[in-house]
Amino acid sequence: MDFSVINEENYDEIISYMKSLSDEKYRDFHSKLIPDVVSKQEVMGIRLPVLRKLAKEIAKGDCEGYLSVSGTAYYEEPMLRGFVISMMKLGYDDSVA
């Protein structure tokens, strides 16, 4: 998938791509661990190594565009957002601002 430009128009494509990376058995298992936090429908079931790899791909592309449009509809979205932030290449001026 191309992450060179991320905006509101193609964010749905990212969600579809994330759903294609999901593992149904893992989703069922993980949603049982957090029953009071989210419902099963809000968990995609993406394993953490896969999320980290996706974050790395996004961080190489338009990470600022991703951060501006990323949502919280699914349990994995805030985690992916945190991974992307941690992998961003920031200069000194950006990091102290």
Side-chain angles (χ1 to χ4, degrees):
M1 178 160 190
D2 181 28
F3 297 110
S4 59
V5 176
I6 300 173
N7 52 36
E8 291 180 13
E9 288 82 39
N10 64 1
Y11 187 69
D12 289 337
E13 294 175 29
I14 294 173
I15 295 297
S16 296
Y17 180 66
M18 289 174 68
K19 287 180 180 179
S20 74
L21 300 173
S22 67
D23 180 345
E24 189 173 325
K25 288 182 182 180
Y26 182 71
R27 181 192 67 162
D28 294 341
F29 165 75
H30 196 75
S31 62
K32 289 177 186 175
L33 296 175
I34 50 173
D36 295 334
V37 179
V38 294
S39 69
K40 189 175 180 177
Q41 291 76 25
E42 296 171 329
V43 178
M44 287 186 205
I46 303 172
R47 296 179 181 270
L48 287 179
V50 176
L51 268 180
R52 284 187 192 104
K53 184 178 177 184
L54 179 57
K56 190 174 185 179
E57 293 175 29
I58 292 171
K60 289 179 184 177
D62 184 15
C63 52
E64 292 172 356
Y66 170 77
L67 294 175
S68 69
V69 298
S70 65
T72 58
Y74 293 97
Y75 177 74
E76 288 84 357
E77 287 181 278
M79 288 192 301
L80 180 60
R81 183 180 174 91
F83 288 145
V84 169
I85 290 170
S86 72
M87 294 177 185
M88 288 175 66
K89 305 281 189 220
L90 298 176
Y92 177 76
D93 294 335
D94 296 329
S95 64
V96 295

